[in-house]
Amino acid sequence: MSNVSVKLDGKALAIETQFAESMPGGFFIYRATGDENFIYVNSATLRIFGCETEGEFRALTKNSFKTMVHPDDVEEVERSIKEQIESSVYDLDYVEYRIVRKDGQVRWIVDYGHFVHTEVYGDVFYVFIDDATEKHRLQMEDRRKQSVIEGLSTGYNSIYFVNLEQRTMMPYAWDKPVAEEIIQDIFESSSMERDFYSTNNEFVEKYIIPEDRATYLKSIDIENIKSNIAKNKNISCIFRCAQKNGDYEYIQLSIAPVKGESQFAVLALKNVTEQMQKIQDENMQMLKMEVELNNALLENNAKSTFLFNMSHDLKTPINAIMGFTELAQKNIDDDKDKVLNYLEKIRISGNLLVDLINAVLNMAQIESGNLNMKKEPCNLKKQAEILTDVFRSQIAEKNLNYNISLEIAHENVFADTPNLNRILSNILQNAVNYTPSGGSISFTISEDENIDLCSEKKCYKFVISDTGCGMSEDFMERIWQPFVRGQNTTASKIAGTGLGLTITKKLVEAMGGTIELQSQLEKGTTFTVKIPFKECLQQAQDVSEEIPKRKWTSSNKENKRVLLVEDNELNREITLEFLKECGIEVDAACDGLEALEIFKASEENFYDLILMDIQMPRMNGYESTKAIRALNRKDAASIPIFAITANTLENDKLRAFKSGMNRVIEKPVNMDSFSELLKKV
């Protein structure tokens, strides 16, 4: 405790009160011991407490400093005063506390007091007070603002106070990983006020990637900030900062006005890399889902279009077959020539139907990945001549000018000859179909420059040009799609499946080649096919069939006998009638098991040929053939067995030959070719 002592008696107190009454602030003296009763209170103190007389004040405070202080603050005030007294003899102690005025208002008081010992009154406190309610309110508001900023700073990496008039900025708070490095590197000190533009320009040059600099600079333009503040709008943008490891950090810039202070703004930076990555991942997932949905819709539309076109193109020849059949029946006794004309149209429609089904099967085989490209010796010159012979009659019929040019030094290559012929014949058939009488068609084969010098293969170019009707740009964009035709069969009067060029492109690509198209309406079309082939040093041999087959020898009998195995009654009847017209004796079986039993029961060499269907009940054609070949009799191994089937894909043919069949005849049977084949048996 202080050992300072002063003489305070009635005379001295009277003198002090004269000075105290002239003070603008409150002043009072109270005993430091006991009940801490007031010795003296000046008029300013009465005004602070809302009292008119000293009596009112003493009654309000119960004449004690302890009860003058707000109950919630008494303990803290006395502790603070005691600590200050013990630590200092001469300095005034300082404390803030609340009081309750006579009118019930709670006010904040600032208190400067000093402890002394007097001769008359003993230990006392001299105290100067003032009303600090407004000051305390402002302090509390500042603290709240500070709390808000501190709260914001937990979500932002750095916060700056910007003076828009002086064009300066003061860093307020920062945190890792972005702002700390910038503060240390650029600001040098957290309390240092810096020029707004030079600081930001330095930041832009050192950290922001070039692509995002313009966005950032536009956002921090002082005039732009003022304009937005005038509209009470915030500014926000996201930019990228380059890291030392080469990665990017996404930073969000936010600029907000200071309420009631139009010349000030708060600028904050926040690292949003995690959020941006999450958004990007979500966007990628959404994009993936959108692509998958679009693909599904496209696939569904493609299937619908496929089925619609299939239905139309199948029904067209079927309708012709049924219609001309009915007309033939009605005119059977009246007009032979008319009936023959109807039957010819039925045959043409039937062939178109077969072509369509075969094309769809070829498409299915290619799409399923079951297309195995063969590499066999092939003479390109000879194949060109064969194709020319195939179309010769059609070219002559339309009086077309046809020119073929072969500019190849190496004629013999390894190639899939049937599929190569299919590619070229599809294009040539279109050229013949869509070139009017008197027009021209050219067919050129040449060796193109080999782009890959390390490859053993040479690039061959096949160019087929015509002076036909040509194509529109819109049609050329859709030309490779299934069932697409410039005009339908009815309008163009040209029969077709609309699958030829689709199959052609897929076959070219399966061979590792490319196909290009150039066309102009009314001027003509040019197809350019480029395919790499390996040179074949040996002379290419004629190969009459695509798959090696089991050989057979003719029986040389005049009256031949055939075992026909067919479960479909209508097909069985047609084939029976045809064989009988050819002078051949026929026995029929309804399935493979019955055929096996009939053959087992017959004498050796009784049958000269077995015509075997594939899909049958009880025992199919493959199983029946194997069972016949396994019989212990001489003719079981040598008798020719021909498959007559609609299953004519490469895998089906291979399976037929592996089961022991000699030949595969495709349904529907071409009777002219079949007749020639029977003569060789």
Side-chain angles (χ1 to χ4, degrees):
M1 297 287 277
S2 171
N3 58 3
V4 176
S5 179
V6 296
K7 182 178 180 181
L8 181 64
D9 52 20
K11 185 179 179 180
L13 182 60
I15 296 172
E16 287 185 8
T17 56
Q18 291 179 13
F19 285 106
E21 287 300 322
S22 64
M23 291 180 183
F27 174 76
F28 57 84
I29 304 171
Y30 71 92
R31 298 181 187 276
T33 57
D35 294 332
E36 298 182 352
N37 294 329
F38 292 106
I39 297 172
Y40 170 76
V41 181
N42 74 347
S43 299
T45 301
L46 301 181
R47 290 194 297 272
I48 291 172
F49 279 82
C51 297
E52 295 182 1
T53 65
E54 185 176 336
E56 288 180 356
F57 171 78
R58 290 182 183 276
L60 176 67
T61 61
K62 297 180 181 179
N63 197 33
S64 171
F65 177 75
K66 282 184 179 181
T67 52
M68 182 192 82
V69 177
H70 193 286
D72 293 342
D73 296 343
V74 171
E75 185 178 345
E76 178 63 24
V77 168
E78 291 191 340
R79 183 193 62 76
S80 177
I81 292 173
K82 182 179 178 182
E83 288 179 356
Q84 292 183 68
I85 291 173
E86 290 176 348
S87 63
S88 175
V89 175
Y90 302 105
D91 294 336
L92 294 174
D93 60 76
Y94 171 81
V95 67
E96 290 185 16
Y97 51 83
R98 288 168 292 178
I99 64 165
V100 180
R101 284 166 47 100
K102 182 182 177 182
D103 58 9
Q105 290 186 38
V106 176
R107 309 289 289 181
W108 279 92
I109 299 297
V110 290
D111 177 316
Y112 295 93
H114 192 67
F115 172 84
V116 295
H117 179 73
T118 66
E119 293 178 359
V120 176
Y121 297 103
D123 293 337
V124 298
F125 270 108
Y126 286 82
V127 181
F128 300 89
I129 65 170
D130 200 2
D131 190 323
T133 304
E134 183 62 21
K135 174 187 173 184
H136 193 272
R137 185 189 67 77
L138 293 174
Q139 287 177 341
M140 290 300 295
E141 188 173 320
D142 287 342
R143 286 173 187 169
R144 283 195 295 272
K145 289 180 180 178
Q146 183 174 345
S147 298
V148 170
I149 294 174
E150 288 175 353
L152 287 173
S153 68
T154 60
Y156 286 85
N157 298 107
S158 57
I159 298 176
Y160 308 91
F161 192 71
V162 181
N163 188 319
L164 300 173
E165 298 301 327
Q166 297 181 8
R167 302 193 174 190
T168 59
M169 61 188 297
M170 174 78 74
Y172 180 83
W174 62 92
D175 194 8
K176 293 181 180 180
V178 175
E180 186 175 88
E181 183 178 355
I182 298 170
I183 289 293
Q184 292 174 350
D185 186 25
I186 297 178
F187 281 95
E188 298 176 356
S189 169
S190 63
S191 61
M192 186 177 183
E193 190 173 41
R194 295 288 299 268
D195 179 77
F196 181 76
Y197 276 127
S198 63
T199 302
N200 275 288
N201 287 336
E202 186 178 353
F203 171 55
V204 168
E205 290 296 325
K206 294 193 75 170
Y207 294 99
I208 300 179
I209 68 170
E211 294 86 350
D212 293 353
R213 289 174 183 175
T215 301
Y216 181 84
L217 290 172
K218 181 180 178 181
S219 298
I220 61 143
D221 180 74
I222 292 289
E223 296 306 318
N224 180 49
I225 296 173
K226 286 182 176 180
S227 174
N228 280 275
I229 285 178
K231 300 172 185 175
N232 201 29
K233 288 183 178 180
N234 291 358
I235 297 172
S236 181
C237 75
I238 293 176
F239 58 92
R240 289 166 291 177
C241 284
Q243 302 300 298
K244 292 178 180 178
N245 61 3
D247 292 338
Y248 293 143
E249 292 283 349
Y250 286 87
I251 309 299
Q252 181 181 15
L253 166 72
S254 297
I255 301 176
V258 176
K259 189 174 182 181
E261 302 286 350
S262 60
Q263 72 271 31
F264 296 110
V266 175
L267 184 153
L269 297 175
K270 181 179 182 180
N271 191 317
V272 292
T273 304
E274 243 181 71
Q275 296 92 314
M276 288 298 294
Q277 187 61 52
K278 185 177 179 181
I279 291 171
Q280 288 175 355
D281 291 344
E282 289 175 352
N283 287 342
M284 284 299 295
Q285 186 63 27
M286 288 295 292
L287 181 61
K288 183 180 178 183
M289 291 172 64
E290 186 177 344
V291 169
E292 289 176 352
L293 178 60
N294 287 337
N295 288 340
L297 290 173
L298 288 172
E299 184 178 349
N300 188 55
N301 290 337
K303 286 180 179 178
S304 298
T305 303
F306 178 86
L307 292 173
F308 176 81
N309 289 323
M310 268 290 294
S311 175
H312 173 270
D313 285 37
L314 282 171
K315 287 179 179 178
T316 298
I318 291 173
N319 182 64
I321 292 170
M322 295 176 68
F324 287 124
T325 299
E326 187 174 343
L327 289 172
Q329 289 172 339
K330 290 180 179 179
N331 292 274
I332 192 70
D333 297 323
D334 300 328
D335 193 333
K336 181 179 179 181
D337 291 337
K338 186 179 287 188
V339 171
L340 289 175
N341 181 48
Y342 293 152
L343 293 176
E344 176 62 17
K345 290 179 179 178
I346 290 171
R347 184 187 67 80
I348 292 171
S349 298
N351 288 336
L352 178 60
L353 189 59
V354 171
D355 289 342
L356 176 62
I357 293 171
N358 286 338
V360 172
L361 291 175
N362 287 330
M363 278 285 293
Q365 186 181 27
I366 294 169
E367 295 291 349
S368 65
N370 292 327
L371 183 66
N372 296 318
M373 288 292 174
K374 294 178 292 184
K375 296 179 182 178
E376 61 186 16
C378 171
N379 184 280
L380 295 178
K381 181 179 179 181
K382 188 158 192 174
Q383 294 307 315
E385 292 171 352
I386 291 172
L387 286 169
T388 299
D389 289 338
V390 168
F391 291 99
R392 193 177 300 279
S393 61
Q394 296 180 53
I395 290 170
E397 185 179 344
K398 295 187 71 172
N399 193 30
L400 301 175
N401 297 312
Y402 179 79
N403 179 57
I404 182 169
S405 176
L406 303 176
E407 303 169 5
I408 48 178
H410 308 90
E411 298 177 2
N412 296 309
V413 297
F414 285 103
D416 189 319
T417 307
N419 281 322
L420 176 61
N421 286 341
R422 190 176 302 173
I423 291 168
L424 299 175
S425 63
N426 281 344
I427 299 173
L428 278 169
Q429 185 67 69
N430 280 345
V432 172
N433 287 344
Y434 294 101
T435 302
S437 297
S440 299
I441 296 174
S442 66
F443 179 20
T444 303
I445 304 178
S446 61
E447 290 185 34
D448 202 18
E449 291 185 10
N450 192 5
I451 298 175
D452 187 357
L453 298 177
C454 298
S455 174
E456 297 179 352
K457 297 181 178 180
K458 299 180 183 298
C459 184
Y460 288 84
K461 183 163 67 173
F462 305 84
V463 181
I464 298 174
S465 298
D466 64 61
T467 58
C469 60
M471 309 176 197
S472 66
E473 290 185 7
D474 175 66
F475 178 60
M476 283 193 286
E477 292 179 0
R478 301 178 292 115
I479 189 69
W480 311 113
Q481 298 175 14
F483 293 106
V484 170
R485 290 196 289 271
Q487 294 179 318
N488 60 32
T489 303
T490 305
S492 66
K493 309 301 181 183
I494 298 171
T497 64
L499 290 171
L501 288 178
T502 306
I503 293 172
T504 297
K505 188 174 190 297
K506 291 183 179 295
L507 289 175
V508 170
E509 291 173 347
M511 291 182 178
T514 60
I515 182 168
E516 296 177 355
L517 165 66
Q518 291 180 323
S519 186
Q520 280 186 285
L521 282 173
E522 307 304 328
K523 290 188 177 181
T525 301
T526 297
F527 284 93
T528 302
V529 176
K530 294 181 181 180
I531 302 176
F533 293 124
K534 186 177 179 181
E535 184 184 357
C536 178
L537 299 179
Q538 69 188 70
Q539 182 68 34
Q541 301 295 319
D542 290 339
V543 182
S544 59
E545 296 299 329
E546 298 179 15
I547 304 175
K549 304 162 189 69
R550 190 185 186 98
K551 293 183 179 180
W552 77 89
T553 57
S554 174
S555 64
N556 295 319
K557 288 165 51 178
E558 290 187 7
N559 298 320
K560 291 183 173 60
R561 182 176 291 275
V562 172
L563 175 58
L564 174 64
V565 190
E566 171 65 70
D567 66 310
N568 184 278
E569 185 176 352
L570 187 59
N571 288 339
R572 189 166 63 246
E573 181 181 351
I574 292 171
T575 309
L576 277 170
E577 290 299 323
F578 176 77
L579 291 173
K580 288 177 180 178
E581 286 184 7
C582 292
I584 296 174
E585 297 182 24
V586 188
D587 291 329
C590 294
D591 57 54
L593 183 59
E594 185 179 357
L596 175 61
E597 295 301 326
I598 291 174
F599 186 81
K600 283 167 63 175
S602 69
E603 297 178 2
E604 283 192 7
N605 299 316
F606 180 76
Y607 291 107
D608 300 292
L609 173 67
I610 299 176
L611 297 176
M612 182 76 71
D613 188 22
I614 298 297
Q615 291 186 341
M616 295 181 293
R618 297 205 300 171
M619 181 182 285
N620 63 38
Y622 303 131
E623 296 167 340
S624 182
T625 300
K626 288 179 182 179
I628 290 172
R629 296 297 187 201
L631 293 175
N632 187 20
R633 47 190 282 178
K634 291 181 181 181
D635 61 344
S638 61
I639 184 171
I641 303 177
F642 293 175
I644 298 185
T645 178
N647 299 341
T648 55
L649 297 178
E650 293 300 320
N651 289 341
D652 299 318
K653 291 181 179 180
L654 184 60
R655 186 177 177 187
F657 295 130
K658 285 183 177 180
S659 70
M661 295 181 180
N662 303 88
R663 189 109 181 185
V664 176
I665 300 171
E666 184 176 350
K667 289 182 179 178
V669 179
N670 184 305
M671 293 305 180
D672 292 336
S673 300
F674 187 35
S675 178
E676 291 299 317
L677 183 60
L678 289 175
K679 293 176 183 179
K680 300 177 183 179
V681 177

